[in-house]
Amino acid sequence: MIPLSHFMMISAALFCIGLFAVLSKKNAILILIGIEFMLNAAILNFVAFSKHDKLASGGQVFAVFAIVLAAATVAVTLAIVLNVYKYYKTIDPTKIDQLRD
């Protein structure tokens, strides 16, 4: 059986990669990918702790809900990014300075 610390190290690495992507990228799509990395790190923690919990599978159930909410969030955010690109012709968040004309 894989010890819990290995799951925690992988989760911490995923979260750090996602945080670096969010803080350093100038592209809205890459920022969304970074957010998804951080969310996947949290989901991995839920599943890892649920595996070591002998009484209930609450972490796995919560992970499934988190995955469903993440999929819905990505769909809505991608629609917003596409509309912003249609209007501004860029997906660089620093170049979008106004929301109205």
Side-chain angles (χ1 to χ4, degrees):
M1 185 161 102
I2 301 172
L4 183 62
S5 62
H6 290 179
F7 288 110
M8 299 299 289
M9 286 188 291
I10 291 172
S11 179
L14 274 175
F15 191 84
C16 289
I17 291 169
L19 187 64
F20 175 75
V22 168
L23 294 177
S24 68
K25 300 300 179 187
K26 299 285 187 201
N27 189 338
I29 302 296
L30 293 177
I31 291 172
L32 290 175
I33 291 172
I35 292 170
E36 286 296 317
F37 270 131
M38 291 190 296
L39 187 62
N40 285 332
I43 291 170
L44 180 62
N45 276 335
F46 288 136
V47 173
F49 281 114
S50 176
K51 182 178 178 181
H52 291 281
D53 181 20
K54 303 297 182 197
L55 298 177
S57 298
Q60 291 177 356
V61 171
F62 193 74
V64 169
F65 284 122
I67 291 170
V68 169
L69 288 175
T73 304
V74 166
V76 169
T77 308
L78 189 58
I80 291 170
V81 167
L82 289 175
N83 281 332
V84 166
Y85 179 76
K86 185 171 70 172
Y87 184 74
Y88 290 105
K89 302 296 185 223
T90 185
I91 55 174
D92 184 4
T94 60
K95 294 182 181 176
I96 300 169
D97 58 352
Q98 61 183 5
L99 293 176
R100 291 182 164 192
D101 274 336

